[in-house]
Every structure is written in structure tokens, then in C-alpha cells.
Amino acid sequence: MSKYDLIVIGSGPGGYIAAEYAAKQGLHTLIIESDNFGGVCLNKGCIPTKTLLKSSKVLEYLVEANKYGIEGLSKEGISLNWPKIQERKNNVVKQLQNGIGGLLKSAKVEVIKGIATVLSNNTVSVNDTIIEFDKLIVATGSTPRKFTNIPGFEQGYASGKLITSDEALVLSEIPKKLTVIGGGVIGVEFATLYAGLGSQVTILQGVDRILEVLDNDISKEITSLLQKENVNIITNINLVEFKDNNVVYTINGETKVDDADVVLVSVGRVPTSDCVKQIGVNLEKNGSIITNEHMQTNFENIYAIGDCTSRIMLAHTAHKNALVAVDHILNKPNKYEPLKVPSCIYTHPEVASIGYTEEQLIEKNIPYYKGKTPMTHIGKALADGESKGFLKLLVGKEYGEILGCHIVASTASDIISEIALAMELEATIYDLTNTIHPHPTISEIVWETAKKILTDNFKDKKWFKN
């Protein structure tokens, strides 16, 4: 019977990082993967959606070329080759799949393709073979959540009229009318994508605003920007049924019928944890694997990382979880701090956020100062024709520590890394203000906002620390 120091189940963004890191630290490591390398993020999430969104953005540039003094292009003269757009997406995914395979091979990680089942706290079964381990990391990801308890929805999925984000990536054609049920991150990204490609898009949201878990200023800004792109946003709805190939819902007591060509149900994701159920690993009611701060389960030699734990379901969260778990196995210090996890949404312009929202600070009665700078104040944004959005920075009143940052900007997903590093290093408003930002850049908005907060609110303190 084969035995490994570490077995990793799943080669998503957490799994392959854990396996590569562990192997390079000297652990005899095996990774078990049931499908393609890369997990949800690479195959059905982050990468394919961003590749398609880039085509949508290029189309936007072409349509607005006249604004930049480039004439001779007209919207009527531009056509979309959807199969070619899909082909480019597939090529990008394939290249990255091969890259992960190369990383694992160079690290001397052994790979088995198959479905793993954990039999005990030191054995797994795959392809009718039992394999022993000293340590195990479960990185099995998640799947799209479906509504199955609403009348007619199961039939809607079967007919292909109701789809999840998986199917939204491989549609045979761009729908003329697309309805998105759910105004969270995934739903808003797909609304941006297909609206940009010419679909008539409607978002049906069950609460009073889209992106409801983010700072309210971001929700308001993205709502306004989507509406300007003719996305119809309907909030506070209640789903009733799927009938006669249409979604039926109520709003303010009135029954409405949505007649879209395709309906994307985007209402979160469900953790995948079947492989550990039979040995008694502790699970939450939703099936997520319960872990401690070291990513350990109730079995001290079995760890879980990424989406299957229902911690923040982001690829880079899984990356961090992977390092925390392997470092614990190696007796090295590391920790996961949810408040320091940045999140990004790839709308046009992008959204990025980290730390507390302003609403959370008010709720928790944490004293703070805030600064908010519109992108129209930034020279590079105006030069680029990308002046939509803002940056909002939240800092502690006494010491100026960074409590949160919320950005809507063309490069928000890049800018947020500066704030993440600052928070990791426990930097303050003084440090941000005294960091030289190159001019002209979009990232200058960080310096502009920090400087304003400091000069307006910390008048009795020096800019430079001794």
C-alpha cells in the first residue's frame, strides 16, 4: 500500500498551491483530481469570466472610439464572432491548466486522476486503490447553488431555460434577453458581460439592493452605472414559480412574469464535502467543513481549505488557506485574517474592497474618519477616459490605522493590493501619505485620499514619524 506524507484532494487554487508548497518543503506529496487542473476558478469561474469580460470591454472601446478621436468605426459595422470569443477563452484556460501541471511536475508532486473518498483518518480510496497518508488537505471546492424547492424550477433546469454560472460560460449564442436571479458578485459580473455584448439584461434581487454585502456607496455606484448601460434592476422581489417557460415573481403584492430567453440563477455556491462525510468530519448545516484558525478539522491531521470550508469563497482566500495549513503541518507560524482579504468584482469599471464597510463600523461603534475621492479628480483617469468611480478610505480616529477601503475604478483590482499590504504590515494613514505614488497613475487616488484624511483630521500630529 502506497503512503504519502501529505495527500491533497482537489487541484483548485488552494489545492495545487498547497501541494506545490508542501512538496518543495520536502513532503512526499500526492494530489488527487477528478477533473481538470485548476478547479472552479480556472475552469468555471475567475479566468473564463474575465476572458469573456475582456472581449466585452474591447467592444466598448470600439463603440466609443470616436470619443478618443478615432473615426470610421460604427456600432453597426462591428460584429461579434461568438465562437471565436469562446475559442479564445478556452485557449486561455487550457494554457493555465498546462501551467499548473508543469508546476506540480517541477515540484515532484505525484498526481492521480479520480474521485477520492476518505475512508479513515489515515486512508483514502481512489480508483479502487487504498492509499495511506500522514496528513490530508481537502480542497474540493463548491458548486452553484440551485433553487429546487420553488415550483417548476427543476423542470426549468432540465429544459435549459434556467442555467447556472457553469452554463452561462458556454452558451451557444448571446441571448437577446437575459435575466439574472441574484444581484451578488457573480450575477453582477454576468450582467455586465452580457449587457456589454448586447443582451437586454434584467437583474431580479430579493433584497433592497444589489451587492448588499458590500459598502453601500459601492452598491449605489454600481447600480447607477449598470442602469446607464440599460440593465434593469428590480429589487425586493419574491420568486413564485417557473411556469410556461417564464419566471413568475411578486413585487409590492403584484404578480409579474419575466419572459427572458435565458435565466441565470446566481444565488451563491454550495460547498463540496462528500468525500469526508463518512468518517465523521464535522460539518455545518450547509455542508461546509468546519475548521479552526490553522485550517484543521476535528481530526488533527485532516485539514480543509477554500470553498469547501465556506470561508470567503475567493481563489486568493484558498491560496492563503493553503499556506496556513501547510505551514501548520511544518510547525511554522501563519494565520488567516478574514478582514485582510480583498475582494474584487470585474464590472466596468471594477470594484475592490477590503476590511470593514462603513455600515459595519457604525454598527460596531468603532470611531473612524473617512475620505472619499472621485475618479474625476485623477489626471490619469481623465486621460484614459476612465473617470467613473471613487475611492473611499476608512481609518481609525486615534491612531490612523486602516480599517477599510472601497474602490470603483478601471484598475480597482490592482489598486487594492496596496491597501492589503498596508493592512498586513499594520501601516497607518501617515504611511500611505508618505509613500510616493508615481504621477500620473490611477493609484494616485490612494495618496490623494490619505492626504486629505490626514490634513483634515490629524492636524495636531506630524506627517513623518520619528
Side-chain angles (χ1 to χ4, degrees):
M1 184 185 297
S2 300
K3 184 175 181 179
Y4 293 85
D5 296 328
L6 173 66
I7 293 178
V8 180
I9 302 176
S11 71
Y16 85 80
I17 291 288
E20 180 199 15
Y21 178 43
K24 287 185 174 180
Q25 297 298 308
L27 298 182
H28 185 208
T29 303
L30 168 71
I31 194 165
I32 302 172
E33 173 55 57
S34 63
D35 202 345
N36 294 314
F37 290 136
V40 172
C41 175
L42 175 51
N43 296 286
K44 299 178 180 180
C46 320
I47 300 303
T49 54
K50 279 53 183 181
T51 308
L52 295 177
L53 279 161
K54 182 62 177 182
S55 293
S56 172
K57 186 65 176 177
V58 170
L59 176 61
E60 180 184 320
Y61 280 136
L62 292 174
V63 170
E64 296 182 350
N66 191 60
K67 181 174 74 174
Y68 298 91
I70 300 170
E71 299 179 346
L73 291 172
S74 66
K75 188 173 183 179
E76 294 73 21
I78 299 170
S79 62
L80 293 174
N81 187 328
W82 184 239
K84 192 168 184 178
I85 291 172
Q86 288 283 348
E87 180 185 6
R88 177 176 177 272
K89 175 203 72 178
N90 295 337
N91 288 339
V92 170
V93 170
K94 187 65 176 177
Q95 181 177 343
L96 291 171
Q97 287 172 351
N98 292 337
I100 292 172
L103 284 174
L104 296 174
K105 184 177 180 180
S106 67
K108 295 183 171 54
V109 176
E110 295 184 35
V111 178
I112 293 179
K113 288 296 185 76
I115 298 175
T117 301
V118 183
L119 302 177
S120 70
N121 68 341
N122 61 11
T123 57
V124 300
S125 172
V126 59
N127 301 334
D128 298 321
T129 299
I130 297 176
I131 308 171
E132 289 186 319
F133 61 82
D134 287 330
K135 307 289 184 181
L136 176 71
I137 294 178
V138 181
T140 45
S142 62
T143 57
R145 180 181 172 222
K146 290 184 175 182
F147 284 138
T148 56
N149 58 342
I150 299 176
F153 267 61
E154 286 194 357
Q155 292 88 337
Y157 291 120
S159 72
K161 178 73 176 284
L162 295 181
I163 63 171
T164 70
S165 57
D166 288 357
E167 295 80 44
L169 289 169
V170 292
L171 291 176
S172 59
E173 59 184 7
I174 300 169
K176 291 182 179 179
K177 294 179 69 175
L178 171 71
T179 289
V180 181
I181 297 176
V185 172
I186 297 172
V188 166
E189 282 194 1
F190 275 107
T192 299
L193 167 63
Y194 282 106
L197 295 174
S199 299
Q200 180 183 333
V201 178
T202 296
I203 297 176
L204 298 179
Q205 174 72 326
V207 295
D208 63 352
R209 62 187 177 105
I210 63 170
L211 303 176
E212 72 277 8
V213 300
L214 297 184
D215 192 274
N216 193 43
D217 281 352
I218 284 180
S219 177
K220 288 179 180 177
E221 184 81 0
I222 296 302
T223 296
S224 175
L225 292 173
L226 286 173
Q227 288 173 337
K228 288 176 182 176
E229 297 301 319
N230 297 316
V231 175
N232 186 24
I233 300 173
I234 305 173
T235 58
N236 290 315
I237 67 101
N238 290 296
L239 293 173
V240 176
E241 61 180 334
F242 185 76
K243 182 180 180 181
D244 298 331
N245 235 19
N246 295 317
V247 172
V248 181
Y249 65 95
T250 60
I251 180 169
N252 297 325
E254 186 178 354
T255 299
K256 301 280 188 177
V257 176
D258 181 89
D259 62 349
D261 301 314
V262 177
V263 178
L264 167 60
V265 181
S266 179
V267 288
R269 300 186 64 83
V270 178
T272 303
S273 57
D274 290 346
C275 70
V276 296
K277 284 182 178 178
Q278 71 180 49
I279 68 164
V281 167
N282 288 342
L283 306 175
E284 297 283 5
K285 288 182 179 180
N286 68 350
S288 61
I289 301 172
I290 299 172
T291 64
N292 63 16
E293 67 272 20
H294 308 299
M295 311 313 298
Q296 283 176 300
T297 68
N298 52 307
F299 292 86
E300 65 177 15
N301 68 323
I302 297 179
Y303 298 73
I305 62 176
D307 284 9
C308 67
T309 69
S310 281
R311 293 173 184 264
I312 302 170
M313 286 189 175
L314 297 170
H316 45 278
T317 301
H319 292 164
K320 179 64 175 179
N321 293 169
L323 299 180
V324 170
V326 174
D327 276 343
H328 190 258
I329 291 170
L330 297 169
N331 295 314
K332 295 181 178 181
N334 203 338
K335 60 182 178 179
Y336 164 73
E337 298 178 77
L339 270 176
K340 294 179 180 178
V341 176
S343 61
C344 303
I345 308 173
Y346 296 84
T347 45
H348 298 155
E350 297 175 349
V351 170
S353 183
I354 192 170
Y356 290 112
T357 66
E358 187 171 358
E359 293 73 35
Q360 288 171 330
L361 292 177
I362 293 170
E363 181 183 348
K364 294 176 180 294
N365 199 29
I366 298 174
Y368 69 96
Y369 291 124
K370 74 173 178 180
K372 185 177 178 183
T373 305
M375 294 304 301
T376 51
H377 288 193
I378 305 303
K380 183 64 159 55
L382 292 171
D384 287 350
E386 299 281 3
S387 59
K388 299 172 184 174
F390 63 87
L391 183 143
K392 180 162 80 169
L393 192 60
L394 306 168
V395 305
K397 273 195 172 184
E398 184 173 0
Y399 302 109
E401 74 276 19
I402 301 161
L403 299 173
C405 183
H406 309 280
I407 313 170
V408 178
S410 60
T411 57
S413 62
D414 296 312
I415 296 171
I416 201 68
S417 293
E418 176 182 354
I419 305 300
L421 177 61
M423 292 179 69
E424 182 67 26
L425 297 177
E426 299 183 352
T428 68
I429 194 70
Y430 305 97
D431 300 305
L432 286 182
T433 303
N434 288 312
T435 297
I436 299 173
H437 289 71
H439 175 79
T441 58
I442 303 295
S443 64
E444 276 183 287
I445 197 167
V446 175
W447 178 77
E448 290 282 1
T449 309
K451 174 171 63 74
K452 186 176 190 306
I453 293 174
L454 187 63
T455 54
D456 287 353
N457 301 293
F458 293 85
K459 298 176 183 178
D460 59 335
K461 298 186 179 182
K462 295 179 180 179
W463 279 32
F464 291 92
K465 293 183 292 185
N466 294 328

